[in-house]
Amino acid sequence: MIPTARSRNLAAIQHGHIGEELRQTPFHPRLEALAHANDWYAWSGFKAPHSLYDEELEYFAIRSTAALFDISPMTKYRIEGPGAEAFLNRLTLRDVRKLAPGRVHYTAWCDDEGHVLDDGTLFRLAPDRFRLCSQERHLPWLLDSAVGFDVRITDETEAVAGLALQGPCAYAVLRDAGFDGVEKLRPFQLADFPHAAGTVTISRTGFTGDLGYELFVSADLALSLWDRIWQSGQRNRLRAIGYSALNRARIEAGFIVANADFVTAETALREDRLRLPDEIGLDWMVDLEKPNFNGRHAMMEARRTGSLRHVLVGLEVDGNVAGPLSLIYHRQKREVGIVTAATWSPILKKSIAIASLSRPFGISRNDDLWVEIYVLRELQYQKLMKRVRIVPRPFLKLDRRGANPPGLL
């Protein structure tokens, strides 16, 4: 690692975002023009929409036509150099040697005690060049972990703009926009396509459990990319969406969010908030056949001794009232967990939730579980005790997500 580059990066992040005005993404002018709801929130220091017009209509765009979501605030790190593969294999849970150029995989990374620091997507852009995308910022951790590896790490969050195009008409929108050959992309595959005076990287990935793509382009070409997609998408009723609609879709897909469904190791203030991969449903990605990686010994020891304390599960909830951050009880008496995310699914016609339970609940004891929900009715809060059932995730599985070639409506 080049010391001067490390010093520049550390100096840049020391300024932080506290007290600073929220920054605008490269797509903000287009979002602001569509933001009838004027419902904004802060995402990693950027101004982002909860909803632009109506959450219900935005959700149904994901499931019925096509939806466009600005993912530019998502943290993006470029990791490159002769030692990039070895570095990422040491850092993350999955075997990076199995990730071919032009492919993407979902992964996570932990501290030395095996506690999850974050999850995200790893794009292999070339044999020695990667892009790591995540919810939280990890530059100091990455720089410290890179000591001894021949690798360069660059925070390209602001330099690279991103869009998620999701829904059954997503492929049709890209086809009509002139991205010839995009139909050849299989799930978790990526390729570069010409755009304006440069290129756009398109991957068949997303966070909705539907047919979808993510597009990455240099910030100076962002507005021209938006306009190209927006114009071609009108015949397929393309709609721009905010996070509220996306969040409902991701719960249906059973996907988890850092510092929502689990607390990242760097931000946890209490010992009982730390989580091993096995405790948040990420045990399947722990590859014990590859060389040593961060937290490996701690994970193996927890499995050997049976000291895992938590489990993340999917729930169906009686009734039609969602209850995020509601407590879960056994036999309506003993507190055994908490709902981390919940929604009413219009497709399934059910209330569904993701919850963290204390073992053995969720493993060998799944009977007589209840959730305590408080609802506001006629200006007064009422407590509802609703029965819950543990069910597999994803709650909603759509064949079109993995269809090859992608279908047309």
Side-chain angles (χ1 to χ4, degrees), residues 129-344:
R129 181 161 51 90
F130 298 81
R131 175 178 292 139
L132 182 65
C133 297
S134 63
Q135 172 74 11
E136 303 298 319
R137 295 183 177 275
H138 298 283
L139 188 57
W141 176 267
L142 293 174
L143 292 172
D144 288 343
S145 301
V147 173
F149 292 93
D150 187 1
V151 62
R152 299 179 301 280
I153 302 172
T154 306
D155 186 341
E156 57 180 17
T157 303
E158 295 192 42
V160 175
L163 285 174
L165 177 63
Q166 304 286 299
C169 294
Y171 161 63
V173 172
L174 291 178
R175 179 203 60 184
D176 293 349
F179 290 106
D180 297 332
V182 73
E183 72 280 357
K184 298 177 182 178
L185 289 181
R186 295 176 176 269
F188 296 99
Q189 188 174 11
L190 65 89
D192 289 336
F193 295 85
H195 172 68
T199 60
V200 54
T201 299
I202 301 179
S203 61
R204 192 166 163 188
T205 51
F207 202 54
T208 63
D210 217 308
L211 173 64
Y213 301 84
E214 291 176 324
L215 300 87
F216 299 92
V217 70
S218 61
D220 60 308
L221 297 178
L223 292 182
S224 63
L225 177 62
W226 178 287
D227 293 341
R228 180 178 177 180
I229 294 173
W230 191 254
Q231 182 178 3
S232 72
Q234 295 314 296
R235 63 178 293 184
N236 287 295
R237 299 189 178 184
L238 176 66
R239 182 181 290 274
I241 67 169
Y243 181 72
S244 296
L246 182 80
N247 188 54
R248 182 177 292 192
R250 74 89 182 173
I251 295 173
E252 289 179 333
F255 297 146
I256 61 176
V257 173
N259 287 323
D261 299 296
F262 69 96
V263 179
T264 60
E266 283 190 312
T267 58
L269 299 179
R270 293 169 47 177
E271 182 74 19
D272 63 350
R273 297 295 186 261
L274 298 169
R275 294 292 186 268
L276 295 163
D278 292 24
E279 296 177 314
I280 58 173
L282 301 183
D283 49 301
W284 60 271
M285 65 171 59
V286 178
D287 192 337
L288 297 177
E289 300 301 318
K290 74 170 190 172
N292 189 38
F293 55 91
N294 290 2
R296 183 180 190 275
H297 175 75
M299 295 172 208
M300 293 181 64
E301 187 67 9
R303 291 180 180 182
R304 186 186 68 81
T305 60
S307 58
L308 296 165
R309 296 181 296 171
H310 308 277
V311 63
L312 205 67
V313 298
L315 299 177
E316 287 183 358
V317 185
D318 281 354
N320 60 0
V321 179
L325 301 181
S326 299
L327 295 177
I328 299 173
Y329 294 89
H330 182 241
R331 296 179 179 173
Q332 302 191 47
K333 294 180 180 180
R334 178 182 174 184
E335 182 183 330
V336 297
I338 188 170
V339 173
T340 61
T343 190
W344 168 260

Side-chain angles (χ1 to χ4, degrees), residues 22 50 79 112 240 263 267 297 364:
L22 291 178
H50 271 126
I79 301 171
D112 290 338
V263 179
T267 58
H297 175 75
S364 59

Side-chain angles (χ1 to χ4, degrees), residues 365-382:
R365 300 189 65 182
N366 299 331
D367 63 305
D368 211 358
L369 295 176
W370 299 76
V371 62
E372 179 184 63
I373 302 174
Y374 287 85
V375 296
L376 184 62
R377 290 178 173 170
E378 297 181 354
L379 302 181
Q380 186 175 18
Y381 276 100
Q382 297 180 8

